[in-house]
Structure formats: structure tokens, C-alpha cells
């Protein structure tokens, strides 16, 4: 009966003809006019059943079903099956007083059933369209499960691989991450949120969560507003401008105020300056975590701070439901504020079409058709190939003429090493492991030996690996970190290879056979201490469901590697955090080499024993062919402010193999009202060239590309001289210049 009344109201809204307000406004106003204060606060409350996927600290058991029937829950996250979702929706629609549909959310961040490479890996493809497509395909599968909201894209910039969540982002550069974040929103949401194969995106974690002190998850974040605006804000802003329907607050404090109660972040910046009109959800229990932060005395105080900051929905803490009515009755939070926040959430449900048909998402038939489609698997394999980065190759790759391969290492048959973190709906038995990929591509020529565990030796493992290597033409070692070591609450104090893996590598290298390392990891690793034992190094990341095939596609030479790093790889832990877009300082190191104790002091910004440069820089990636960049020309060597700058370059594939690469354009603002990075990415183009083929590429730099947060705190450009470089990594040497008059 209740559902009929909602549908009638929906139709009345449409048939009521054009009113000053939209049909949506009219529908939501009518609905809210019938709601009690508690029911409105219920819409602002999200919970996870204790039987669901665990994505945060667990608390007291709650009776979700009873709360759904009493209209005290507006959204549920982390249900495990389409059946559970459908059953819970039916309970809400048929058994609650007003039958308001539930919003089902989940972390679909790099695929749903078919898992794509982790986001940091996909960013190394620099293939923005492929990343958009992967989000579209993930939404297609998720919506078939009944999920209509994903907590993605993660837009947090980070240059600190100690922080496990770098795996979820798009690296250290704001220009690239902004384009990827916007593309993911477009992929998830499509042209119409009411399309039942699209889902709401969520811009997270707002804000600056990727800069925790010491790289330790949840730790304090403290930076100038200027640094935030120049280096961290762009991806959030781009994702919001792409139309993201929701945003999520981060766990960290920002300028000493936790994001979930931070009025500058959530009102002044997000609502007023950026014009966001969707709804904001907290991160998991982040509202009551303001007690631990020391800015709230208790849960009621925390709810007050969050509501005052216009945080619309409380994820899991229950503080809104427990204290919201009292805050209104005591006059601390005006009921019109509750109305505004509740309206934001109901409008999202309306846009999703949930009031018209609460069961438009999901359904057993839809689910069976939607998952593991060939198109999805093909895209997963292709983007996995494009995300892998060839970091070193003494010529041993590709293995097209290899006779016998000794495949060695702790992750050979590990599906988790292929999948990484945030893969709640994965199927291990559908995941192609490294050994499966190799045996399919090199039938009869692969001899598998584990050699050691991820962090522990195996009795006799090294000797067995050495024997296998001696009996083979080439040794391929799959080393790195296990998939569960990336993601949330996975901070590390070292990103070096574990000792047992170093020992295994050294022993196999000592056989004199060529050594290929396939690196599986969710973060950059410090490899200087082992790189001399490696003849070829292919960074596979956690490449997803089709990872084993994609690795074999590249190792065999069927395809050339084409990935380029989006995070710098340090030489050693001591360099972290390390980034390409660093400042010059007043005493820049001029690379005159290392000091030894007692030698002449070098009064420069450098280390005593280690170069400043990373082992592999941002933008770096090798190919099986060779690309030459020349004829760099700035067609507009002098422009006025407000005018575009046009730059042209020629790229030639001078090698013998057809392949893709990423042409990158970097700028340096030589003199400005504030210190500026020594290089900034301001253009890129992924191109495919046949052997011998040349292509001319033109970049157009807009006034925004030349703008920054000036000394007067205005985002604008300034006149002056600029240097420009184009090449295939952030150390590109091909240089030119232009002037803004
Ligand atoms: C987690 C994560 C966040 C995720 C949320 C829901 O704690 O911080 O990224 O979306 O909770 O699972």
C-alpha cells in the first residue's frame, strides 16, 4: 500500500505540470511534509549489518532489519549478495511507514566482479578513456547487484608509499589525477543517473587524506591552504565538476579540525566556492572519531559539529540517530538544517529513480547477464597490460624465444596478488594467476617453484629455486608485496623487498642465468639495493582478474609494455616522501655527487650518502621499441595573459615493434610571486605508433594551466618566463621556452 502511495505521489509530481519548482522538488517536499523528525534523521543515517563486508572498526551489534522497518536507516553499505540487497529493499518499501527505498552503497573502486588493476596501476596507463570505460563496466556489474552508490573515485594525491592507500589513488600529480578522477565519475554516472546501469559516484576522501604525517594512515594532515589548493584540491574539484553526486569526508584533521566537522572544508569550500549540491557522507565512524580527535566531548557533541558543518549523512557511528532529535529540540541545530540535509539525500534517491521503481537496480536475471561479460574481461586484460611499467630491461625481455622458464616466487599462484585490496565481490577461481598465465602462453616450458613465502623463508626453497634456474634458460621471479598489504590501515615503515625475497633473488642471480622480476605491489618500492641482481624488471602492480594473462602478454612480446609511472620510485626508504614536482629551494643540489665523511661540506639541499633523484622518476616507463622526440616548437613564444600557448613536438617510433607511449609536457614558471615546482605536468597524450611511424603532437596550454594560488591567494596566472619540456618522463631533456607578457 505504501509503495502505491509513493508511486502515485511520483506520478502526481510528473502530471502536476510545470510548477515553479521541479517535479523532484515537489515530490521531495510532499514526502518530507509527511516525515517525522526521526524519520528525516533516519535518512541521514547509514549502517552496515554485522554480517556484511567489514570495512571499518566493528562496534555494538545493531538490528538493521528492525531499524529499516522503523524508517531509521536511509542507506546500508557492505551487504554481500544481490539477494540480501533485494530482500532488505523489500523490507524497507513494504514494511516501513512511508516505504522510502534504501540507498545501497559499496566500495566498487576498481571493479565489482571483474576486478580491474588497482587504481594506482590503471593511472600508469595514462589512458583516461580506458579508465572511464572500466568505471562504466564496474557500474554495470554493481548496479546488477542492486548497488546504486559506489565510494569512488578516491581523489587523494600522495607521494608517500609508506601509506597503503596510495594503491587506491592516481598518484602524485594533480593534473593527471584530476583528469582520471573526472573520467571515473563520468564512467560511474553516465549521462543519466536514472539509467539503471549507472551508479552514483563519491568524491573521497575530502580532504588531503593522502598527506598523513609520517605516511601513517589516519594521521594528522597539516599544510598551508596554498599548498592544498595547488597540489591536493584539483582532483576533488575536477571530480565534482564532472557531476559527482556525493562526497565523503576523510578521517584526518585538516588545519587542526577533523574533516567531518570542518566548516571551512565542507561549507566555505565545498558548498560555497565549489558549488557542490549533492550530499556528503562521513567516512566510517568518522563523526564519533572526533571524540578521539579531542574536539568533541561525546557523541552528541560530535553529531552537533558534523551537522553544523553540513555533513548530510553519518556512516555507521549512529550519532545522528541517537542525538539528532535532542540537538533540534535544544535549539542547537535548526530543524530546517535537518530538512536541508535530508532533502539532499532524498533528491539523490529521486535522481536514481528509486522512488519510481525501488527494484530497478538488481534482480537475479540482470545479475546473471551482467557479470563476467567478455567485454568486461577484455577491457580488464587490456588495461592491465597498459598499466604495467617496464622499469629495466637489459635485453632479456621479451621471452619470445625462451626454451625453459623457471617461474619462481611467493606470489605465482596467488589470486590475491593479482587482485589487491577492495575486492569484496571477487572470485578467486575466476582470477588468472601468474602461473596460469605463463602456462597458457608458454605451454610445457614453465617450471614452478615457490622459493619462499612473502615474508618468510621456506625450508629448502632457495636450493629448489636455484636448481630450477640452473635447468632453465631464464629465471622469472614474481616478487613484491601480497595484495592484502595495500589499501586501508596498511602503513609500512619500509618499502624494500623483504629479506627472504632478497635472499632468493641473490641466489638465483648467482646461477648466472638471466633474471626477470615481475613485481606485484600496491605501492612504489625502494629497489636500489636489489636492482643489480635484476636484468629485467616489469612492474605488474596488482593487475586484476586478468593479471596472469596480461603479464604473459607482455613478457612474451605479444604486446610491448607502455605504462609510465604516476608515482616516483625511491632509491631507499629515507627519500620518502619523494615527488617530481618538488620545489627548488634556495640551495638546490647540483648533482655534484656524494660526500664521504670528512670530505668538504656541500652547502646544498642534498643527502650525505644518497642522490636526491628517485630510482625511477614520475612519468618513466620503457618499451620494447624506442621513441625519439624532436622538433619541439612553441608556436606562440610570447602571449598575453588570457591567451593559450601552443606547443608542437614530433614523436617517432625508431624501433622494430609497433607500440604505445605517453608523450608528456612539463612546465616551469621561472619567477613567480610564490615558489613554484621545478616541473609540473601540464599536458600528456597516449599515442600508438607503428615501427618507423612519426606523429606530430600539438599541446594547447590554457590560462588555467598557467595559473596557481598566487601570493595574493588568488588562483590566476602571472606574467613571466616559462620553460617547457616534452618527452616520455619527468626528466625529459627536450626543452623550449615562452613568455607571458
Ligand atoms: C572505509 C574507507 C572508505 C570506505 C568506507 C566504506 O573506512 O576509509 O574509503 O569507502 O570506509 O567502506
Amino acid at each position: 500500500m505504501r509503495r502505491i502511495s509513493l508511486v502515485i505521489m511520483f506520478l502526481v509530481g510528473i502530471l502536476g505540470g510545470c510548477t515553479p519548482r521541479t517535479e523532484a522538488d515537489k515530490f521531495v517536499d510532499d514526502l518530507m511534509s509527511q516525515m517525522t523528525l526521526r524519520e528525516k534523521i533516519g535518512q541521514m543515517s547509514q549502517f552496515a549489518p554485522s554480517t556484511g563486508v567489514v570495512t571499518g572498526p566493528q562496534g555494538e551489534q545493531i538490528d538493521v532489519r528492525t531499524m529499516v522497518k522503523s524508517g531509521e536507516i536511509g542507506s546500508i553499505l557492505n551487504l554481500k549478495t544481490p539477494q540480501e540487497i533485494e530482500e532488505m529493499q523489500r523490507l524497507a518499501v513494504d514494511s516501513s511507514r512511508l516505504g522510502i527505498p534504501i540507498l545501497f552503497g559499496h566500495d566498487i573502486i576498481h571493479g565489482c566482479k571483474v576486478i580491474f588493476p588497482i587504481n594506482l596501476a590503471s593511472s600508469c596507463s595514462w589512458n583516461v578513456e580506458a579508465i572511464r570505460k572500466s568505471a562504466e563496466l564496474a557500474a554495470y556489474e554493481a548496479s546488477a547487484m542492486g548497488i546504486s552508490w559506489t565510494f569512488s573515485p578516491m581523489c587523494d594525491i600522495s607521494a608517500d608509499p609508506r601509506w597503503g592507500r596510495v594503491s587506491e589513488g592516481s598518484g602524485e600529480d594533480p593534473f593527471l589525477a584530476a583528469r582520471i578522477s573526472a573520467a571515473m565519475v563520468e564512467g560511474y554516472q553516465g549521462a543519466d543517473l536514472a539509467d539503471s546501469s549507472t551508479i552514483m559516484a563519491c568524491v573521497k576522501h575530502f580532504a588531503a587524506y593522502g598527506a598523513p604525517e609520517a605516511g601513517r594512515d589516519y594521521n594528522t594532515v597539516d599544510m598551508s591552504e596554498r599548498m592544498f589548493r595547488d597540489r591536493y584540491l584539483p582532483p576533488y574539484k575536477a571530480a565534482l565538476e564532472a557531476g559527482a553526486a556525493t562526497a565523503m569526508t576523510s578521517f584526518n584533521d585538516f588545519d587542526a579540525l577533523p574533516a567531518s566537522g570542518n566548516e571551512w572544508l565542507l561549507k566555505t569550500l565545498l558548498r560555497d566556492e565549489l558549488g557542490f549540491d549533492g550530499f556528503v557522507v562521513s567516512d566510517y565512524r568518522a563523526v564519533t572519531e572526533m571524540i578521539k580527535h579531542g574536539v568533541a566531548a561525546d557523541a552528541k557533541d560530535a553529531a552537533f559539529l558534523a551537522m553544523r558543518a553540513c555533513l548530510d549523512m553519518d556512516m555507521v557511528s549512529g550519532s545522528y540517530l541517537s542525538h539528532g532529535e535532542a540537538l533540534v529540540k535544544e535549539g542547537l541545530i535548526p530543524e530546517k538544517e535537518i530538512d536541508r540535509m535530508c532533502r539532499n539525500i532524498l533528491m539523490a534517491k529521486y535522481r536514481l529513480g528509486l522512488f519510481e521503481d525501488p527494484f530497478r537496480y538488481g534482480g537475479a536475471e540482470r545479475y546473471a547477464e551482467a557479470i563476467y561479460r567478455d567485454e568486461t574481461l577484455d577491457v580488464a586484460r587490456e588495461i592491465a597490460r597498459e598499466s604495467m611499467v617496464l622499469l629495466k630491461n637489459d635485453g632479456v625481455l621479451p621471452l619470445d624465444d625462451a626454451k625453459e622458464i623457471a617461474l619462481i616466487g611467493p606470489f605465482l599462484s596467488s589470486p590475491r596478488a593479482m587482485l589487491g585490496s577492495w575486492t569484496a565481490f571477487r572470485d578467486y577461481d575466476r582470477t588468472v594467476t601468474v602461473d596460469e598465465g605463463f602456462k597458457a602462453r608458454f605451454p610445457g616450458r614453465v617450471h614452478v617453484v615457490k622459493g619462499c613465502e612473502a615474508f618468510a623463508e621456506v625450508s629448502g626453497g632457495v636450493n629448489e629455486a636455484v636448481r630450477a634456474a640452473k635447468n632453465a634458460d631464464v629465471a622469472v621471479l614474481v616478487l613484491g608485496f601480497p595484495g592484502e598489504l595495500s589499501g586501508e590501515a596498511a602503513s609500512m615503515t619500509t618499502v624494500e623487498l623483504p629479506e627472504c625475497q632478497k635472499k632468493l633473488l641473490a641466489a638465483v642471480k648467482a646461477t648466472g642465468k638471466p633474471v626477470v622480476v615481475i613485481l606485484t605491489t600496491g605501492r612504489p618500492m625502494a629497489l636500489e639495493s636489489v636492482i643489480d641482481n635484476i636484468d629485467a624488471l616489469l612492474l605488474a602492480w596488482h593487475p586484476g582478474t586478468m593479471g596472469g594473462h596480461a603479464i604473459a602478454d607482455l613478457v612474451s612480446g605479444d604486446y610491448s609494455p607502455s605504462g609510465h609511472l604516476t608515482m616516483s620510485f625511491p632509491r631507499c626508504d629515507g627519500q620518502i616522501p619523494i615527488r617530481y614536482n618538488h620545489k627548488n629551494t634556495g640551495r638546490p643540489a647540483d648533482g655534484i655527487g656524494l660526500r664521504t665523511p670528512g670530505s668538504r661540506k656541500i652547502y646544498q639541499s642534498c643527502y650525505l650518502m644518497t642522490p636526491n633523484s628517485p630510482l625511477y622518476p614520475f612519468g618513466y616507463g620503457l618499451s620494447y621499441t624506442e621513441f625519439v622526440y624532436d622538433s619541439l616548437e612553441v608556436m606562440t613564444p610570447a602571449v598575453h595573459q588570457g591567451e593559450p600557448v601552443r606547443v608542437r613536438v614530433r614523436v617517432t617510433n625508431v624501433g622494430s615493434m609497433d607500440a604505445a607511449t605517453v608523450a608528456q609536457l612539463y612546465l616551469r614558471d621561472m619567477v613567480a610571486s610564490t615558489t613554484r615546482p621545478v616541473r609540473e605536468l601540464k599536458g600528456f597524450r597516449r599515442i600508438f605508433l607503428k615501427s618507423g611511424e612519426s606523429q606530430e603532437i600539438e599541446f594547447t596550454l590554457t590560462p588555467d594551466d598557467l595559473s596557481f594560488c598566487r601570493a595574493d591567494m588568488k588562483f590566476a596566472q602571472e606574467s613571466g618566463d616559462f620553460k617547457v619540456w616534452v618527452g616520455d618522463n619527468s626528466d625529459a631533456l627536450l626543452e623550449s621556452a615562452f613568455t607571458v607578457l
Side-chain angles (χ1 to χ4, degrees), residues 246-321:
T246 70
M248 181 188 290
T249 59
S250 55
F251 291 117
N252 55 284
D253 60 345
F254 181 85
D255 192 16
L257 292 167
S260 298
N262 191 314
E263 290 185 271
W264 182 81
L265 269 183
L266 301 185
K267 291 167 78 171
T268 309
L269 178 60
L270 185 62
R271 299 285 183 183
D272 298 346
E273 181 179 324
L274 299 177
F276 178 59
D277 63 357
F279 78 80
V280 183
V281 63
S282 74
D283 204 338
Y284 205 102
R285 297 185 189 279
V287 172
T288 44
E289 286 177 6
M290 288 196 275
I291 302 166
K292 294 246 176 60
H293 273 289
V295 296
D298 52 30
K300 182 178 177 183
D301 197 11
F304 165 70
L305 294 176
M307 286 184 172
R308 186 183 65 177
C310 301
L311 175 61
D312 302 294
M313 185 181 279
D314 164 29
M315 183 188 284
V316 175
S317 89
S319 60
Y320 278 20
L321 200 59

Side-chain angles (χ1 to χ4, degrees), residues 55 77-78 107 151 165 204-205 248 251 283-284 315 422 488:
T55 62
L77 75 156
N78 293 350
D107 294 279
F151 308 124
R165 304 198 77 167
K204 76 182 188 183
H205 305 79
M248 181 188 290
F251 291 117
D283 204 338
Y284 205 102
M315 183 188 284
W422 298 105
E488 186 175 356

Side-chain angles (χ1 to χ4, degrees), residues 549-671:
H549 285 322
I551 292 168
D553 288 344
L554 297 184
V555 166
S556 64
D558 293 346
Y559 293 84
S560 170
S562 59
H564 289 256
L565 292 179
T566 58
M567 273 187 83
S568 308
F569 266 54
R571 297 171 185 278
C572 58
D573 297 329
Q575 286 187 310
I576 296 172
I578 184 168
R579 56 169 50 86
Y580 85 95
N581 49 358
H582 60 80
K583 301 296 187 71
N584 203 33
T585 80
R587 292 191 175 183
D590 59 11
I592 52 176
L594 310 184
R595 282 188 59 203
T596 51
S599 64
R600 178 175 61 82
K601 274 192 180 302
I602 302 172
Y603 293 94
Q604 293 181 359
S605 179
C606 61
Y607 301 101
L608 285 181
M609 304 293 191
T610 305
N612 289 0
S613 58
L615 188 61
Y616 301 112
F618 176 89
Y620 180 84
L622 299 176
S623 169
Y624 289 154
T625 187
E626 186 189 348
F627 295 94
V628 169
Y629 288 73
D630 61 20
S631 308
L632 174 62
E633 181 194 358
V634 177
M635 288 103 85
T636 54
V639 298
H640 290 95
Q641 291 199 26
E643 294 175 340
V645 175
R646 290 171 40 234
V647 180
R648 189 163 48 197
V649 71
R650 183 175 62 181
V651 190
T652 304
N653 177 349
V654 297
S656 58
M657 186 170 179
D658 301 350
T661 188
V662 180
Q664 303 154 43
L665 181 146
Y666 295 90
L667 282 187
R668 181 176 178 182
D669 187 344
M670 299 310 291
V671 178

